[in-house]
Amino acid sequence: MPRARLVPTVRRWLRRCLLLCPLLFAGGSALSLDPAGAKPASAAIADGPIAQQVNNIEARFGDDMPELLRRLTPVEAAARASGGDDLRVFLAAWGYVHAALDKVTVAEAAIAELLILGERERLPLALASAYALRATMLQFSGRIDAAYGWIDATLPLIETSDDAALRYWVFMTAGDLASFLGRLDLGRAHFEAADAAAAAQGNRRRRAQAFVALAPVKLAMGDVVGARLDAARAFGLAAAAEVPSLMLAASLIEAQAALHAGDAAAASKAAQRGQELAYIAQRHVKGEDPEVNPQAGGPRWLGSQLRVLQQLSGLYLSAGNFEQASRAAARGLQLAALQRDSEASALASINQGMAWHGLRRHAQGRKSAEQGLAWLRQRGKNVELLQELNRYGQLLERVGDPSGALRHLREALALESELVRKDKLGTVLDLQQQFSQAAQQREREQLAHQTALLRSGMERQRSERLLSLGLAGTLGLGVVLTAWLYLRVRRANTDLRSKNAELEFVSLHDRVTGLPNRRAIERDTEALQDSSFVGLGIGIKRFGLIMGSLGHVLGDALLCQVGERLEAVVLRRGGTLYRLDGLSFGVICRGNSEQVGLESFLLELTEAIAPSFCINQQQLTVTLSIGAAEYPKDGRTPADIARAIQFASHRAREQAGTRAVVFSEGLMSHQHERLLMETRLSQALERGEFELHYQAQCRLSDRRLSGFEALLRWRSVDGLIPPDRFIPLAEASGLIVPIGRWVLQQACAQARAWQEAGLGEPMVAVNISPRQFQHPEFMDMVRQTLQSSGVNPGQMELEITEGAVMDEADGSTAQLHALRALGLHLAIDDFGTGYSSLAYLRRFPINRLKIDRSFITDLMRRSEDAAIVQALIQLSHSLGLTVVAEGVEDLSQEACLRDWGCDLMQGYVYARPVPAAQASEMLRQAQTSLVVSG
């Protein structure tokens, strides 16, 4: 079965069998408490040590795996920088959430990293976390025996540990596995140890989970009083922690225990409480069955009862109490029929058949069990089938049917082998193993070289001794011995030279492409210090994105093809191509720029890389950033040349497409100027040097004022700095996020001020940068700004570029819907300059489309631009969108746009950007003559 179907199936099975007993996370509702049980988890998420941050994040978001992953991601860098226990706690959580999200290769990589961390820093708890994570993944894949083997190896590592969270995880996992394997005494002990660990944390939620798991085990073992006591404890703790799901589970178990004790009144009371909790939960879950009377139960109530009965039936079978197992299974069949749950009915039928076997009703038992197994086979439920075949085979062996046991266990073994065969490792683990194997191979080669040196030395010493002895003998024997020893020494020296040459080649060449490596280029440039040469640095743009989509194996294949094209050009010029690191190459050509023909050389390189590459039947386009410098013109040492090449490459990387830049002194001054401006820009917000100007927009039909676009201006001590100089720098440095927040706050405050001054509610548009839109706190910032300013959200419009929403279209769509839900207007800015995906216009919940000024500028001179603008206007109107034309600068453009039905225009032909005071005056003049229309 493919893993994509395997893991979700196992998750459903675990939810059914483990009765809401999570292995690692204590997550849940927003009311969950932190490990101390004293304050909301959200209050400490961003404070305290890294391990505590991870625990708090798990405590709050453990039930929402995508959100948990998003919250853990910002912590990764700090955890890796800290190392030690902080990194161990992070890797354990990181691996578990990826395993739960079916990202098995990342989980496997986390296990490998935990093992390395444990061995490198001698951290037994890192090994324990790795073993526990491995056991959890095996449990997900249905391999219970193997999972228990790993968790059993974990137990000695945590005996003396004071990490209560890790002890809780390990003991809960061990208890689940032991109980499933029929070792109820051992499972009980593990669950009790888990409760002790949760108590040490002061975590009421985890204690409730431990008692919810412990009570059914005690009930199956005949300890009815203990089961009732544990169920009551679980309910009390869950109520204190405000976790309704655990309160419901505790009520159901308490009702079953009271029935076994013959206390009908207590059973009825617990059942009534469970029905009310199930009804409350039913009303708060969207997309499920409609509400029902709480006295009559409901789908959630029946489903919760069904899970309890299935678990009790399995535990009774493990304890050998076949009569109680039969009753629980029969009741489970009834509830499954009421819910029309075929899978639950099949599992209950198997439990019923196994119980009848135990009661010596073999014919009925075989029929019932085979009926359930047949349903699992037909539906391809291979993981559940593997579990049930193992249980059924073991029970048949216990009741004296060895042939039937052998037949079913053989089928289970074959099925497990098939599942393991199809469960392939992913590219991340493969890459780590390749790196590990490469390191081991280098160590073996080094050891072999040292051994060869030692052997050669020993051979020389032995030869010298033998030669001395031969000289003391007869002349003839001396000649023979001398010749023989000479040949032997010669052979040893030949072998040594061969091994040295091989080792030297490996140390100076890249293993993937076979090209000379960084060590080789350093050696060659040192040798050329007395001669002129031209050096190039070639980087592959967006190579990380390519590797992420292809995987490392296909990524290496792409690197080899890129290297082959570049090397063909370089060799024609008499140069040498080197691979410097994962995504960059270097070139050395003897002679100066004129001798090399640098300009034509760079042109050949760009033309060679232009055709697409075919990798695994995929067509890929690669773009390069090429920096060039000449020695000794651009530097007195090879280190100076390397720095100059780096400056030129950085400049080329800032430009779109494949670009080549030759170093000049201007690049140094440009870089220095960029650093100075970035420093001043970081202080401009604190100094109050920013201000907003407002450019009016009008309706084309009657030239009435419709609203404004807020435009940022920087008035420094040197005067007004154009936006095209500092906006890209703010975007690249990340300063655009606080600056964008200030812009939105000021624009909202100004819109509110116009409203309070009686100047109407004109629409105010604010530009949102891609980096700001993709920031994780963007939505919270927008909500806080709207709330603090008190502005009418319908008066504000957010303008978002095509690129910002197209980079992650699915996630952007959800965020755009959330913005619309706040009452904001949305516009796609600069449409036509980026992806121009018309298909996505239907998906995005936008109100306006702004046509970029580049189409309007040549509107009267280029028929192609005119056709595009007309088509965009018609298409937008068909989708119910308002169209705004930017950059309208003369009356002829305005007339054309009006004739074509364009709704709004913005540009110098109507109004230039002005400060807020002049914009207010424009609104007053509009009120005196025309009604301001939003």
Side-chain angles (χ1 to χ4, degrees):
M1 173 187 298
R3 180 173 293 277
R5 292 178 54 198
L6 171 63
V7 173
T9 303
V10 176
R11 292 200 198 104
R12 289 196 298 271
W13 180 86
L14 285 173
R15 285 199 296 270
R16 183 177 294 112
C17 294
L18 299 184
L19 189 58
L20 303 174
C21 185
L23 301 177
L24 172 63
F25 302 115
S29 67
L31 297 175
S32 62
L33 301 183
D34 70 355
K39 63 183 181 179
S42 58
I45 285 178
D47 300 325
I50 295 169
Q52 185 63 40
Q53 290 184 45
V54 173
N55 288 332
N56 290 340
I57 291 171
E58 293 171 355
R60 185 176 181 191
F61 303 104
D63 281 350
D64 186 351
M65 291 298 169
E67 179 64 18
L68 179 59
L69 176 59
R70 192 176 73 83
R71 296 280 180 168
L72 285 175
T73 300
V75 186
E76 180 178 6
R80 294 191 181 279
S82 176
D85 277 330
D86 286 335
L87 181 57
R88 171 185 64 80
V89 173
F90 171 79
L91 287 173
W94 187 255
Y96 187 90
V97 71
H98 279 88
L101 292 172
D102 196 19
K103 298 180 179 179
V104 181
T105 53
V106 180
E108 292 283 4
I111 293 174
E113 197 166 352
L114 282 168
L115 292 173
I116 294 173
L117 178 66
E119 294 173 358
R120 183 181 66 234
E121 300 190 14
R122 300 183 183 278
L123 290 176
L125 297 188
L127 297 178
S129 299
Y131 292 171
L133 185 54
R134 170 66 68 189
T136 301
M137 292 184 64
L138 288 170
Q139 187 179 15
F140 279 173
S141 64
R143 298 158 66 186
I144 304 301
D145 288 313
Y148 189 78
W150 280 94
I151 207 67
D152 190 47
T154 310
L155 294 174
L157 298 175
I158 64 167
E159 285 182 350
T160 59
S161 169
D162 58 355
D163 189 333
L166 178 59
R167 290 172 61 84
Y168 174 82
W169 175 22
V170 172
F171 282 125
M172 285 296 289
T173 305
D176 291 331
L177 294 170
S179 300
F180 183 83
L181 292 173
R183 306 171 189 174
L184 299 186
D185 289 331
L186 193 56
R188 176 174 178 171
H190 289 324
F191 286 137
E192 289 173 346
D195 170 57
Q201 292 179 275
N203 192 315
R204 292 181 290 223
R205 169 189 292 274
R206 290 184 172 177
R207 290 201 69 193
Q209 291 169 339
F211 282 124
V212 164
L214 184 58
V217 174
K218 287 186 177 181
L219 187 59
M221 295 175 67
D223 185 2
V224 179
V225 175
R228 294 185 68 181
L229 180 61
D230 287 346
R233 289 175 177 172
F235 183 83
L237 290 166
E242 301 184 24
V243 188
S245 61
L246 288 175
M247 294 167 64
L248 172 59
S251 299
L252 291 168
I253 297 172
E254 185 177 354
Q256 292 294 325
L259 284 176
H260 282 71
D263 191 346
S268 176
K269 181 178 179 181
Q272 176 66 25
R273 186 174 62 217
Q275 284 183 324
E276 294 172 354
L277 288 169
Y279 176 67
I280 293 172
Q282 184 73 31
R283 295 183 58 191
H284 289 83
V285 176
K286 298 181 179 180
E288 295 192 0
D289 300 289
E291 297 182 10
V292 294
N293 189 301
Q295 303 300 325
R300 179 169 290 275
W301 165 244
L302 296 177
S304 301
Q305 282 188 307
L306 180 55
R307 286 193 292 269
V308 171
L309 290 169
Q310 287 176 337
Q311 185 185 21
L312 286 175
S313 177
L315 291 172
Y316 280 133
L317 288 171
S318 298
N321 191 342
F322 299 115
E323 187 66 38
Q324 291 292 352
S326 176
R327 293 177 183 172
R331 178 58 178 155
L333 281 169
Q334 294 175 359
L335 293 180
L338 286 175
Q339 282 201 293
R340 298 179 180 178
D341 189 337
S342 301
E343 183 176 350
S345 179
L347 294 174
S349 179
I350 295 171
N351 282 345
Q352 179 73 82
M354 293 169 67
W356 279 342
H357 272 294
L359 296 173
R360 304 300 177 184
R361 297 162 62 181
H362 296 297
Q364 291 177 278
R366 188 176 301 108
K367 179 179 179 181
S368 179
E370 290 295 343
Q371 181 180 354
L373 292 173
W375 189 92
L376 295 177
R377 292 189 191 98
Q378 293 171 359
R379 297 303 190 278
K381 304 285 185 178
N382 289 343
V383 176
E384 291 90 338
L385 180 59
L386 174 61
Q387 301 284 352
E388 299 306 319
L389 285 172
N390 279 316
R391 293 177 61 229
Y392 190 33
Q394 292 168 4
L395 181 122
L396 289 177
E397 189 174 2
R398 287 167 54 190
V399 300
D401 185 1
S403 62
L406 181 60
R407 184 174 68 255
H408 288 87
L409 290 175
R410 280 179 176 172
E411 183 182 354
L413 181 60
L415 181 58
E416 183 173 358
S417 299
E418 179 65 14
L419 290 177
V420 172
R421 185 184 67 81
K422 293 183 178 179
D423 189 15
K424 297 178 180 178
L425 291 177
T427 56
V428 176
L429 184 57
D430 290 340
L431 181 60
Q432 290 186 343
Q433 291 175 346
Q434 290 169 12
F435 285 171
S436 175
Q437 291 168 2
Q440 293 172 6
Q441 181 64 24
R442 287 194 295 271
E443 292 173 0
R444 286 196 293 269
E445 291 172 354
Q446 186 68 26
L447 182 60
H449 177 59
Q450 293 174 355
T451 303
L453 289 174
L454 182 60
R455 184 183 297 113
S456 175
M458 294 175 65
E459 287 287 346
R460 288 193 187 95
Q461 294 176 5
R462 182 181 177 189
S463 299
E464 292 170 357
R465 289 195 298 268
L466 292 175
L467 182 59
S468 299
L469 291 174
L471 290 175
T474 61
L475 182 60
L477 182 59
V479 172
V480 174
L481 288 175
T482 300
W484 177 72
L485 291 173
Y486 171 76
L487 292 174
R488 188 156 184 179
V489 171
R490 184 175 179 180
R491 188 183 307 114
N493 287 337
T494 301
D495 292 343
L496 181 59
R497 283 194 297 270
S498 176
K499 290 184 180 296
N500 283 337
E502 181 182 352
L503 186 60
E504 182 179 6
F505 180 85
V506 171
S507 67
L508 293 175
H509 289 77
D510 176 55
R511 288 183 175 274
V512 175
T513 62
L515 295 171
N517 58 16
R518 181 180 292 276
R519 184 179 174 187
I521 197 173
E522 291 172 352
R523 180 199 63 185
D524 293 347
T525 52
E526 288 293 333
L528 291 174
Q529 286 198 35
D530 297 331
S531 305
S532 298
F533 66 86
V534 172
L536 304 182
I538 304 174
I540 303 177
K541 296 182 179 181
R542 300 170 62 86
F543 190 67
L545 177 62
I546 296 174
M547 291 291 282
S549 61
L550 292 180
H552 286 275
V553 175
L554 297 180
D556 287 345
L558 176 60
L559 272 176
C560 291
Q561 291 191 25
V562 171
E564 290 173 0
R565 292 193 189 179
L566 295 176
E567 188 176 28
V569 178
V570 171
L571 290 177
R572 287 198 298 269
R573 295 283 178 163
T576 305
L577 179 69
Y578 306 83
R579 186 186 179 199
L580 304 183
D581 53 35
L583 50 82
S584 63
F585 297 87
V587 176
I588 295 294
C589 291
R590 293 176 181 268
N592 56 34
S593 300
E594 294 180 358
Q595 293 170 336
V596 173
L598 182 57
E599 291 186 5
S600 61
F601 183 25
L602 295 176
L603 181 60
E604 284 186 44
L605 288 173
T606 57
E607 291 175 347
I609 209 68
S612 61
F613 294 84
C614 182
I615 302 295
N616 195 25
Q617 299 181 349
Q618 298 183 50
Q619 297 296 321
L620 298 176
T621 300
V622 173
T623 56
L624 303 179
S625 58
I626 306 174
E630 179 184 341
Y631 175 84
K633 173 186 174 183
D634 298 324
R636 292 180 294 178
T637 65
D640 293 338
I641 296 301
R643 191 177 304 107
I645 292 173
Q646 186 176 6
F647 275 119
S649 297
H650 181 75
R651 183 64 173 171
R653 194 161 45 249
E654 292 176 346
Q655 304 176 36
T658 296
R659 290 291 183 272
V661 175
V662 179
F663 177 79
S664 65
E665 291 299 329
L667 287 179
M668 296 288 291
S669 60
H670 170 77
Q671 187 69 12
H672 181 67
E673 181 182 332
R674 179 185 176 93
L675 291 174
L676 288 178
M677 179 168 286
E678 184 173 344
T679 302
R680 293 169 56 193
L681 185 62
S682 64
Q683 301 169 350
L685 193 59
E686 298 176 0
R687 295 176 177 175
E689 296 178 353
F690 289 124
E691 60 185 53
L692 289 186
H693 286 195
Y694 297 87
Q695 185 172 24
Q697 298 174 344
C698 75
R699 293 204 306 244
L700 274 164
S701 59
D702 53 10
R703 290 180 66 88
R704 290 186 179 183
L705 177 63
S706 174
F708 297 93
E709 179 179 1
L711 301 173
L712 181 62
R713 296 293 184 264
W714 180 12
R715 193 175 299 279
S716 72
V717 294
D718 298 331
L720 199 63
I721 298 178
D724 58 356
R725 286 188 60 195
F726 70 86
I727 292 295
L729 181 59
E731 181 77 23
S733 63
L735 293 172
I736 195 66
V737 174
I739 294 174
R741 179 171 56 248
W742 180 86
V743 170
L744 183 61
Q745 292 171 350
Q746 294 298 311
C748 289
Q750 184 61 60
R752 176 66 176 175
W754 283 335
Q755 180 187 9
E756 291 177 347
L759 297 179
E761 294 186 357
M763 185 73 69
V764 180
V766 179
N767 287 287
I768 303 297
S769 77
R771 191 159 186 170
Q772 186 182 7
F773 181 73
Q774 294 161 4
H775 195 274
E777 298 178 359
F778 175 68
M779 286 300 302
D780 292 338
M781 183 273 293
V782 173
R783 294 190 187 95
Q784 292 172 5
T785 301
L786 292 176
Q787 184 178 3
S788 61
S789 65
V791 70
N792 177 13
Q795 192 179 350
M796 303 303 298
E797 178 178 83
L798 303 186
E799 295 185 0
I800 305 166
T801 62
E802 288 182 81
V805 296
M806 288 299 298
D807 284 343
E808 292 185 10
D810 293 336
S812 299
T813 301
Q815 185 152 300
L816 291 174
H817 279 287
L819 292 171
R820 281 296 303 275
L822 296 177
L824 295 167
H825 284 251
L826 301 178
I828 295 295
D829 196 13
D830 299 337
F831 189 79
T833 62
Y835 296 86
S836 301
S837 176
L838 302 178
Y840 276 98
L841 287 179
R842 296 183 301 159
R843 293 179 51 188
F844 293 151
I846 58 176
N847 305 95
R848 289 183 179 178
L849 185 144
K850 301 191 72 175
I851 302 176
D852 186 65
R853 67 177 63 248
S854 61
F855 293 103
I856 305 302
T857 301
D858 296 328
L859 188 65
M860 307 306 296
R861 295 188 297 270
R862 290 172 53 91
S863 59
E864 296 88 345
D865 287 351
I868 291 173
V869 170
Q870 284 183 281
L872 286 177
I873 294 173
Q874 294 173 5
L875 176 64
S876 299
H877 287 169
S878 67
L879 295 175
L881 305 179
T882 303
V883 182
V884 182
E886 294 182 300
V888 183
E889 298 184 356
D890 59 54
L891 295 175
S892 60
Q893 295 172 348
E894 177 183 350
C896 281
L897 291 169
R898 182 181 297 109
D899 293 340
W900 293 340
C902 184
D903 302 291
L904 304 172
M905 74 170 180
Q906 176 181 340
Y908 288 173
V909 71
Y910 183 72
R912 292 177 176 269
V914 296
Q918 295 183 33
S920 301
E921 184 60 30
M922 292 177 66
L923 286 172
R924 291 189 185 94
Q925 293 176 4
Q927 277 191 334
T928 59
S929 58
L930 299 170
V931 177
V932 177
S933 172

